[in-house]
Amino acid sequence: MIIFTSPAVIIISALIIILDIAKEFTDGILGKILAVVNICLHISLIFPLMLVKAPIAEAVLVYMCSTFVYTASYLLFSVVFSKEAERGGER
């Protein structure tokens, strides 16, 4: 896998995944700022991928991993916090 040979691709991918999860912990303006920064990182990831001449399958794999983490973290947090809200409503 060519994507693992470039430190820039690894660092940007890790930052994207961290921001996908961190966005779920924050609300308000900070959450919006993290979302915008995450979108900018997604766009800037294209250039290191092109520099290492990564195949399109690997580039799509990186973006799909980000989509999976974003969706899984959203689902996990919405289920956890909705159950806590239901418990709080019962009291």
Side-chain angles (χ1 to χ4, degrees), residues 1-14 44-54 58 62:
M1 297 203 81
I2 294 175
I3 56 174
F4 293 130
T5 61
S6 171
V9 173
I10 294 171
I11 291 170
I12 294 174
S13 300
S44 66
L45 180 62
I46 294 169
F47 302 109
L49 287 171
M50 288 191 311
L51 286 175
V52 297
K53 297 180 181 173
E58 291 184 22
V62 172

Side-chain angles (χ1 to χ4, degrees), residues 24-75:
E24 297 300 324
F25 285 110
T26 60
D27 289 331
I29 191 77
L30 182 60
K32 290 180 183 180
I33 291 171
L34 290 178
V36 170
V37 170
N38 200 2
I39 291 170
C40 293
L41 283 174
H42 277 87
I43 293 168
S44 66
L45 180 62
I46 294 169
F47 302 109
L49 287 171
M50 288 191 311
L51 286 175
V52 297
K53 297 180 181 173
I56 190 72
E58 291 184 22
V60 170
L61 176 68
V62 172
Y63 285 104
M64 287 296 107
C65 288
S66 169
T67 304
F68 173 74
V69 170
Y70 175 78
T71 306
S73 64
Y74 177 78
L75 178 66

